[in-house]
Amino acid sequence: MTPILKHIWRHPIKSHGREELTSIELSKDKTLPWDRCWAVAHETSKANNGSWAECVNFSRGSKAPKLMAINASLNESNEEVTLSHPELESITIHPEKNADELINWVYPIMPENRSKSAKIVRVLGRGMTDTDYPSISLNSITSHQAVENKLGEKLDIRRWRGNLWLDGLDPWEEFNWVGKTISIGECKIAIQERIVRCLATTANPVTGQRDVDTLSILETWGHKDFGVYGQVLETGKIMVGDTISVL
């Protein structure tokens, strides 16, 4: 089976929702457009507008699992994001112009013993990814199925918060791509490193409740890794159904 691009996901506000796409234009040395465009900094954060900052500076699913159940839809023309959650009324806001509204909206699902969300930050030209370089995350459907088989039940792929989902690989084959370049559609992507996972993946993306010890399952393979980070080398459009090859 020739490997193909199965899903495209972006997360307009870091750790606060995701939406599925059918195609996207990728640019050299950029993150996936509008992915992690904004991030919610907590009250002890050192993050500032215009600068990349490590994930510890932000409200995120590893510390606040209910955030994992947020869905998002971005209107690119006016930069408004519609957010929904099973425990909250849906809202449509501009993350920067309506920062207080966003912070108040998410407040009821934030743990009481964690630093409170305080402000919205944005880095123009790149997303607030977990890497200090502009990365895109790539995950494998068959590696996900290997985790499901080890667990003995189905899992929602959204708990991994990936950008690109690939189908038709051998389980964990993507780990062998580190240091290599792949092509998807019109793009070339350099695979940089494996993704070490955190507690966010233990939360159900439908309910926001921690329900599966994904990290212990991964450790049965001797690591806590799932997926790989890539960096775009060549600008171009990608679409669901595009074939994938290692160059």
Side-chain angles (χ1 to χ4, degrees):
M1 177 179 177
T2 301
I4 64 167
L5 178 59
K6 188 74 171 181
H7 303 282
I8 304 170
W9 291 87
R10 70 179 173 193
H11 310 74
I13 307 172
K14 184 181 180 73
S15 297
H16 290 65
R18 66 265 153 165
E19 64 177 337
E20 190 168 14
L21 309 170
T22 56
S23 64
I24 196 75
E25 183 89 12
L26 299 182
S27 297
K28 184 179 185 299
D29 294 329
K30 300 290 185 182
T31 52
L32 191 142
W34 301 98
D35 187 59
R36 280 86 172 182
C37 180
W38 298 277
V40 182
H42 53 67
E43 58 190 354
T44 60
S45 172
K46 297 180 181 179
N48 295 300
N49 262 330
S51 300
W52 176 86
E54 295 182 21
C55 63
V56 294
N57 290 282
F58 304 109
S59 299
R60 62 198 199 279
S62 61
K63 304 297 184 181
K66 287 189 177 183
L67 293 178
M68 291 291 289
I70 299 176
N71 288 301
S73 178
L74 170 67
N75 183 331
E76 296 179 13
S77 63
N78 61 13
E79 297 190 350
E80 289 187 346
V81 184
T82 298
L83 301 172
S84 62
H85 187 279
E87 298 180 22
L88 305 171
E89 293 290 332
S90 298
I91 61 165
T92 299
I93 47 92
H94 186 288
E96 292 162 277
K97 296 176 183 177
N98 309 115
D100 289 344
E101 188 175 348
L102 171 56
I103 290 168
N104 290 336
W105 180 77
V106 81
Y107 179 80
I109 61 173
M110 297 297 290
E112 294 183 0
N113 61 341
R114 294 293 180 184
S115 297
K116 295 178 175 59
S117 299
K119 64 181 180 179
I120 310 302
V121 297
R122 179 177 184 176
V123 182
L124 292 175
R126 67 154 292 175
M128 195 71 77
T129 56
D130 285 351
T131 58
D132 59 4
Y133 57 90
S135 62
I136 291 176
S137 60
L138 301 92
N139 294 336
S140 165
I141 293 288
T142 47
S143 297
H144 174 77
Q145 290 169 342
V147 175
E148 288 181 323
N149 292 339
K150 188 75 62 101
L151 176 65
E153 63 181 78
K154 291 291 185 180
L155 293 175
D156 193 317
I157 65 169
R158 293 176 297 176
R159 71 174 62 228
W160 303 109
R161 300 162 297 151
N163 293 136
L164 308 182
W165 278 91
L166 318 179
D167 199 12
L169 305 175
D170 291 333
W172 314 115
E173 180 181 346
E174 64 278 14
F175 289 167
N176 298 329
W177 293 352
V178 174
K180 299 179 181 178
T181 298
I182 66 168
S183 67
I184 304 177
E186 299 173 351
C187 291
K188 291 182 174 62
I189 300 174
I191 306 304
Q192 303 286 22
E193 59 184 316
R194 289 156 60 153
I195 303 173
V196 181
R197 293 299 178 165
C198 67
L199 281 173
T201 62
T202 67
N204 189 308
V206 175
T207 66
Q209 302 295 322
R210 286 187 175 136
D211 61 351
V212 175
D213 189 352
T214 47
L215 302 183
S216 290
I217 294 171
L218 291 175
E219 284 179 329
T220 65
W221 284 284
H223 56 72
K224 292 184 180 179
D225 305 341
F226 188 91
V228 291
Y229 285 125
Q231 191 164 358
V232 179
L233 296 178
E234 193 167 301
T235 296
K237 185 177 182 180
I238 60 171
M239 302 177 61
V240 169
D242 279 346
T243 57
I244 298 152
S245 59
V246 180
L247 302 178

